């Protein structure tokens, strides 16, 4: 791959091995003990001030050069997923049921590779803050770090993070100003009816029929209550009720996933889902308990920071390697919380096409080591541009 930083070239093999080592030893959210030890050891070795203890396993590395007062924060996630790996690779997960299926092994390695070169070979003027975060997958490690005061203890003027994306050409960098990743909320619903004999439904209130009606009614929210211009998704991913064909159960449970790309739509979805579930249940003489949990917020890239980050990529790689206005994703990402606190940008790096296009969270997915140096190189360029001497 062209445009490799000359200081990264000699450590490429070492970094591929490191990535594969992390891959073979995946750890789930808030349990990244071995991974965070490895990260902290390296950072200390390269002269970073290292802080631990936030959000269980987070590692913060700080390096100051020159007299600049600006502070740049770069974040990588470290956690794996509860998936049984099916890649058959020689460095496949050694822990059955756990797998780096989202490429966080690669994100951690890219930031470490950049950390080494930035400490040893690259001038900059200001403070570089490296944030190695636990528990991105569903457990909101970013929110916990913020709640535990990471940004007060370790202030940053701007924050950036990068995620690999299968299906895009290997090493291509992709940017989008504004809303980029969807919010993800979860709703737990219990419909209480009145159970009884399956042959005498008139003496019961059947919660299964109430759920069926709720599920169909929910489909009208996206089509009738939200503008066709706005993205929204309501998915009933789980429904559980009853055990026998001739028994009407007392209650039925549903789990619903809700996605949107802006807060107005998100609020509208929440209000309408609650209203509709209660109204439907009421119409049948049943009742419903609705637990609406607002999980990951919409990820919004700061326009000015995104323009800056895009320009750094364009100056380095040229227009054919940079996508300046990619479409938003319906997936979600907990870096959204960091971007609610500080301006910054979340960008993607193409993981490759063809055999490298297997989607993240698939048991056959693997991070593409060919893009390690591109990602690391970008962090170096971004750091030099953001922490440029202002004299
Ligand atoms: Zn993921
Ligand atoms: Zn991920």
């Amino acid at each position: 791959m062209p445009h490799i930083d000359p200081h990264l070239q000699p450590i490429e093999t070492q970094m591929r091995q490191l990535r594969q080592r992390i891959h073979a030893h995946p750890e789930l959210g808030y349990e990244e003990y071995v991974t965070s030890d490895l990260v902290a050891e390296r950072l200390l070795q390269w002269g970073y001030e290292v802080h631990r203890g936030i959000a269980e396993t987070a590692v913060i590395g700080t390096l100051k050069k020159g007299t600049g007062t600006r502070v740049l924060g770069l974040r990588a996630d470290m956690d794996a997923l509860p998936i049984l790996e099916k890649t058959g690779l020689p460095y496949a997960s050694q822990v059955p049921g756990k797998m780096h299926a989202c490429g966080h092994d690669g994100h951690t390695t890219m930031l470490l590779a950049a950390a080494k070169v930035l400490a040893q070979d690259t001038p900059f003027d200001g403070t570089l803050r490296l944030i190695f975060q636990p528990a991105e997958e569903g457990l909101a490690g970013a929110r916990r770090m913020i709640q535990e005061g990471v940004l007060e203890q370790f202030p940053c003027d701007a924050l950036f993070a990068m995620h690999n994306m299968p299906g895009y050409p290997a090493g291509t960098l992709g940017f989008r100003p504004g809303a980029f990743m969807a919010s993800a909320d979860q709703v737990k619903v219990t419909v209480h009816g009145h159970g009884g004999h399956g042959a005498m439904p008139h003496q019961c209130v059947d919660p299964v029929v109430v759920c069926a009606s709720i599920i169909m009614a929910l489909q009208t929210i996206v089509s009738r209550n939200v503008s066709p211009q706005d993205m929204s998704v309501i998915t009933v991913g789980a429904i559980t009720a009853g055990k026998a064909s001739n028994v009407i159960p007392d209650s039925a449970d549903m789990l619903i996933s809700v996605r949107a790309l802006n807060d107005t739509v998100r609020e509208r979805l929440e209000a309408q889902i609650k209203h509709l579930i209660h109204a439907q249940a009421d119409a049948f003489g049943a009742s419903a308990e609705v637990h609406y949990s607002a999980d990951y917020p919409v990820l919004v890239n700061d326009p000015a920071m995104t323009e800056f980050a895009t320009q750094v990529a364009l100056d380095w790689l040229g227009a054919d390697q940079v996508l300046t206005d990619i479409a938003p994703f319906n997936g979600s990402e907990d870096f959204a919380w960091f971007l609610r606190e500080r301006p910054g940008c979340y960008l993607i790096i193409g993981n490759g096409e063809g055999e490298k296009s297997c989607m993240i969270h698939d048991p056959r997915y693997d991070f593409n080591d060919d893009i390690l140096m591109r990602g690391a190189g970008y962090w170096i360029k971004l750091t030099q541009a953001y922490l440029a001497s202002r004299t």
Side-chain angles (χ1 to χ4, degrees), residues 77 102 104 107 136-137 163 333 361:
D77 36 18
C102 204
H104 300 181
H107 304 162
E136 191 284 324
E137 299 287 1
H163 205 294
E333 159 65 50
H361 294 211

